[in-house]
Amino acid sequence: MSPSTERIRSLALAGHAGAGKTTLFEAMLHAGGALTAMGSVERGSTVSDTDPMEKARGHSIDASIASIERNGYRIHLLDTPGYADFRGPALAALAAADTVAIVVNAANGIEHGTRAMMTYAKERRLARIIVVNRIDAEGADLALLVDDLRNEFGNECLPLNLPASQGHTVCDAFFQATGETDFSSPGEAHQRIIDQVVEIDDDVMAHYLDEGESALSTTEMRNAFEHCLRDGHLVPIVFTGARDGIGVSELLEIVERILPCPGETNPPPFHDDAGTRFEVAADAGGHVVADVFKIINDPFVGKLGVFRVWQGTVRRDSQLLVDDGRKPFKVAHLFRLKGREHVEVDEALPGDIAAVAKVEDIHFDAVLHDAADEAGIHLDSAPFPSPMFGLAIEPAHKGQEQKLSQALARLAEEDPCFRVEHHKELNETVVRGLSDLHLKLMIERMKSRYDIDVVTHPPRIAYRETIGVRAEGHHRHKKQTGGAGQFAEVFLRVEPMERGMGFIFADETRGGVIPNQFIPAIEKGVRQALELGALAGYPMQDLRVTVYDGKHHPVDSKEVAFISAGRKAFLDAASRARPQVLEPVMDLEVSIPDRYVGDVTGGLAAKRAQIIGTDASRGGETLIRARVPLAELTDYPTQLKSTTGGLGRYAVAFSHYDTAPLAIQRKLAERWKPREDED
């Protein structure tokens, strides 16, 4: 029997790599009765890391989901990858959770991933707790770490329990608040929490000041505590040693008794087609509204859409719609996940995480619903890191192009930070990810799942061409083949325009020297020449072409003749107009720890970068803004990772095209061999 919505909890474990999230996930499942014995990351026997690549590397690559049923509660746990290379699945999983537990390695303290996930969770208005793990690690200074956490993330971070017996047990500081601890005292910690909680509500504060803590009812304290978590006014700190089960049962008790239920959380921003906010309520009897936050292409079950129910009840054999689709699908099978296992269930309530199989229309971020008049409801997509590291990819063997395309599409469904681009102009397929490691593992996954060998190389740069000065060109096209001939003569002028202006074609002929019906043919010929380029074979832009004179023949002039004449008259003019190659220039933002500013700015200077500015931010990080030619960024992910020890992050966006250095122009021109066609 399902518990009520008020007794459902969802908790995502997030944080830096190596903090012990997967071990804590395993320990919580074991302590909650979902496992008879704990698995081990080292042995590759955990519920979470079941992928062969995860087992081989000893760390999570994808998010994993499992549930605990105990004491009348259902707790959905989500284990997320810690490495920034796999931030996509981690952030997607946060969309399904009401609370995020930021796991911190007591031996290492605050790390880059700690800050990043705290920021993401705060921006998404999720309740947060900090789990200090490995409290029994040798040399861990837990009192100093608590001070660091409060200095870094604010005074709202307060211990809910405290380590005792040199980190081998934990002592409650909220429910009981008695006992000996390794630092501070349960009474002192308890008082800090009460003072923080009661000030969120004026009525509770007045009641507390008038009559004391003992006069506060359980409901008053519960509501005030939930309000604090929802508003970020309190971020509890708890302590665990997951490998030996230290503090794990206590953590589960906190999840059950204190963390928000689905009706007490900040729901995500749903909107209708008009942009009006659509409020969802954790009402089991309402219309169904659910969000698909994960896609799994399982070789045995097929395509699996994993979703969080925000409103209503999804039942087996019910009918659901995807987004604004008009054709419903039947929920033939409804699953709850336990790592790679799929447990069939009858229903999913608000707050539940479930999955449906073999629904082809389902996709990441899809909204599932059961009311046709709510077809326009959509969820504002959460921001994900932009996948900047790119590789051009093609099958190693001919005939596998379609198979490769299908495999890449399936991989892109699963990871919101893995992108596939088809560049028609360059005749390339480019895959983009968050790092070279990210792409390497995606290609490995494609090989193991779909048996496709590929060849990769750096993507080509989408250069452009333009002209530097005004010039004129002319061409007479005359051909006689025995019957009717071909004749056209065109005089035209080319002029450079400002960057970003594109292409303008104008007709200034007078007196019918070229009949109006042939002017479009001249423009077509010019546009053909624009696509082929005049210097290095790249499309031309930012110029104006004006036809001002010409001749025609009443019998021999035809459209094909004016196409050829227009094309070659343009090439004649362009050759006199100082043709030049343009390169794409990107806006670059780099976020790094302060100590690397000199090294990173020096590296950018060597890449022809123009530094726009630097901004210091809280947490000892600096944001560097620069403009850099795209050609210089090919190896930048690897270089930044090496320079900052993996702590640097960057984002790029197209800015404009600018003239490439002469050396690059000459090199590109020398490589180009234009096709000579007959007159």
Side-chain angles (χ1 to χ4, degrees):
M1 181 178 176
S2 293
S4 65
T5 298
E6 291 74 20
R7 296 174 77 86
I8 293 175
R9 305 287 185 269
S10 56
L11 180 69
L13 307 181
H16 198 79
K21 297 181 295 298
T22 297
T23 301
L24 179 60
F25 183 79
E26 197 80 5
M28 293 179 75
L29 292 176
H30 179 240
L35 295 177
T36 56
M38 275 183 62
S40 163
V41 172
E42 291 76 14
R43 294 194 301 270
S45 55
T46 64
V47 169
S48 181
D49 294 345
T50 56
D51 187 285
M53 291 190 295
E54 291 177 320
K55 292 181 179 181
R57 287 167 173 79
H59 64 75
S60 300
I61 295 173
D62 208 345
S64 187
I65 304 155
S67 303
I68 296 169
E69 303 265 358
R70 76 166 211 165
N71 300 334
Y73 287 88
R74 176 180 298 145
I75 303 171
H76 297 287
L77 294 178
L78 300 100
D79 180 27
T80 69
Y83 282 99
D85 312 75
F86 313 110
R87 192 59 49 82
L91 296 182
L94 298 194
D98 292 326
T99 305
V100 179
I102 308 297
V103 185
V104 180
N105 187 330
N108 297 341
I110 299 170
E111 299 175 275
H112 169 67
T114 314
R115 296 185 182 94
M117 299 312 285
M118 279 288 282
T119 300
Y120 281 123
K122 184 177 182 179
E123 288 175 349
R124 296 188 184 193
R125 302 174 64 234
L126 295 166
R128 291 166 292 158
I129 66 172
I130 297 173
V131 179
V132 177
N133 191 33
R134 296 190 63 202
I135 61 174
D136 52 346
E138 185 176 349
D141 189 336
L142 301 179
L144 179 60
L145 178 54
V146 169
D147 289 340
D148 289 344
L149 289 168
R150 287 170 57 80
N151 289 333
E152 181 82 26
F153 302 118
N155 291 329
E156 61 268 26
C157 300
L158 291 171
L160 207 59
N161 59 27
L162 292 165
S165 305
Q166 285 71 53
H168 288 88
T169 61
V170 297
C171 182
D172 177 37
F174 185 70
F175 302 111
Q176 300 295 332
T178 58
E180 297 293 326
T181 57
D182 293 342
F183 66 90
S184 185
S185 71
E188 179 184 346
H190 178 84
Q191 192 60 52
R192 283 186 174 185
I193 293 169
I194 294 298
D195 290 344
Q196 186 79 1
V197 168
V198 297
E199 70 180 21
I200 197 73
D201 186 291
D202 291 341
D203 292 337
V204 174
M205 171 70 90
H207 193 186
Y208 171 70
L209 292 176
D210 289 344
E211 302 185 41
E213 181 185 344
S214 60
L216 298 178
S217 68
T218 302
T219 301
E220 280 182 302
M221 282 301 298
R222 165 75 193 180
N223 291 343
F225 206 103
E226 172 269 317
H227 193 175
C228 285
L229 290 173
R230 188 177 67 230
D231 287 3
H233 189 66
L234 174 64
V235 180
I237 301 173
V238 298
F239 295 86
T240 64
R243 189 177 297 277
D244 295 321
I246 301 166
V248 176
S249 293
E250 291 84 349
L251 174 57
L252 285 174
E253 184 179 2
I254 288 168
V255 172
E256 293 169 356
R257 297 179 64 177
I258 291 178
L259 294 191
C261 70
E264 298 168 335
T265 190
N266 294 314
F270 289 94
H271 290 88
D272 61 20
D273 285 337
T276 305
R277 180 72 179 257
F278 180 84
E279 299 292 343
V280 294
D283 176 11
H287 287 307
V288 171
V289 178
D291 170 49
V292 177
F293 69 93
K294 183 178 176 64
I295 296 292
I296 304 172
N297 286 297
D298 189 284
F300 303 105
V301 180
K303 185 177 180 179
L304 222 68
V306 188
F307 58 89
R308 153 73 188 253
V309 182
W310 291 98
Q311 179 177 289
T313 302
V314 178
R315 293 183 174 85
R316 187 166 53 182
D317 294 330
S318 63
Q319 303 276 331
L320 291 179
L321 294 157
V322 181
D323 292 332
D324 56 359
R326 296 290 180 240
K327 184 179 179 181
F329 70 89
K330 180 181 179 182
V331 183
H333 300 280
L334 187 64
F335 300 105
R336 190 169 300 134
L337 303 185
K338 184 180 177 181
R340 281 296 180 92
E341 294 181 27
H342 309 134
V343 180
E344 194 150 1
V345 295
D346 293 326
E347 64 179 15
L349 300 172
D352 272 333
I353 295 172
V356 290
K358 299 179 181 177
V359 181
E360 284 309 309
D361 291 340
I362 212 165
H363 58 88
F364 174 75
D365 248 4
V367 173
L368 308 182
H369 59 98
D370 61 358
D373 58 350
E374 293 174 357
I377 303 303
H378 63 275
L379 179 64
D380 287 354
S381 296
F384 286 91
S386 298
M388 296 302 172
F389 193 91
L391 283 175
I393 188 168
E394 57 188 79
H397 309 291
K398 294 292 184 183
Q400 289 199 315
E401 288 79 8
Q402 184 64 27
K403 188 177 179 182
L404 172 63
S405 178
Q406 292 173 348
L408 291 175
R410 291 193 181 106
L411 292 175
E413 283 184 320
E414 298 179 353
D415 189 335
C417 290
F418 178 73
R419 186 180 301 160
V420 183
E421 301 171 354
H422 301 284
H423 294 170
K424 182 178 179 181
E425 171 193 321
L426 301 173
N427 192 28
E428 277 187 339
T429 296
V430 175
V431 293
R432 296 197 180 275
L434 298 181
S435 68
D436 53 346
L437 175 61
H438 185 198
L439 290 186
K440 178 183 177 182
L441 294 191
M442 295 300 277
I443 290 170
E444 282 186 27
R445 180 172 286 177
M446 182 170 61
K447 168 64 177 173
S448 63
R449 281 192 193 174
Y450 306 110
D451 193 27
I452 300 176
D453 291 309
V454 298
V455 176
T456 63
H457 56 84
R460 293 172 60 197
I461 304 297
Y463 291 104
R464 294 288 189 270
E465 294 182 25
T466 192
I467 56 174
V469 297
R470 172 174 167 158
E472 295 184 349
H474 159 254
H475 185 77
R476 171 182 284 199
H477 178 87
K478 186 175 182 179
K479 185 178 290 187
Q480 195 72 37
T481 56
Q486 294 182 15
F487 178 84
E489 187 168 7
V490 173
F491 292 84
L492 54 75
R493 180 171 55 248
V494 296
E495 301 166 272
M497 296 193 302
E498 292 182 8
R499 295 288 176 265
M501 293 294 290
F503 165 66
I504 295 176
F505 180 84
D507 171 26
E508 293 184 359
T509 58
R510 296 290 184 270
V513 293
I514 301 176
N516 287 338
Q517 68 264 29
F518 293 130
I519 297 299
I522 298 173
E523 181 178 356
K524 183 176 180 180
V526 170
R527 288 186 178 275
Q528 288 178 354
L530 287 175
E531 287 299 313
L532 295 174
L535 178 64
Y538 295 98
M540 302 188 73
Q541 64 182 40
D542 303 337
L543 51 87
R544 176 187 176 96
V545 175
T546 304
V547 179
Y548 63 88
D549 201 359
K551 293 181 181 179
H552 75 286
H553 188 278
V555 176
D556 292 345
S557 286
K558 298 177 177 63
E559 181 179 331
V560 65
F562 276 99
I563 290 174
S564 180
R567 181 175 69 251
K568 293 192 175 181
F570 171 80
L571 292 174
D572 180 45
S575 68
R576 307 167 191 267
R578 295 185 198 165
Q580 54 193 246
V581 175
L582 303 175
E583 63 179 355
V585 178
M586 313 302 285
D587 284 323
L588 173 71
E589 289 188 349
V590 187
S591 182
I592 52 171
D594 295 342
R595 61 185 180 276
Y596 297 115
V597 169
D599 292 336
V600 170
T601 54
L604 288 173
K607 292 182 174 294
R608 300 190 281 131
Q610 176 190 0
I611 305 296
I612 305 299
T614 59
D615 298 306
S617 61
R618 184 178 177 181
E621 290 206 339
T622 295
L623 180 70
I624 300 171
R625 290 175 286 109
R627 286 200 177 117
V628 193
L630 178 60
E632 299 288 346
L633 293 176
T634 303
D635 62 345
Y636 193 65
T638 304
Q639 180 181 344
L640 182 64
K641 188 174 184 178
S642 174
T643 302
T644 65
L647 300 180
R649 309 183 306 283
Y650 80 104
V652 297
F654 174 75
S655 174
H656 64 282
Y657 274 94
D658 204 354
T659 307
L662 287 176
I664 292 178
Q665 294 195 50
R666 283 195 293 265
K667 183 178 179 181
L668 294 173
E670 288 169 1
R671 287 195 322 212
W672 185 51
K673 294 181 179 180
R675 178 175 60 87
E676 294 293 338
D677 53 358
E678 295 181 1
D679 190 12

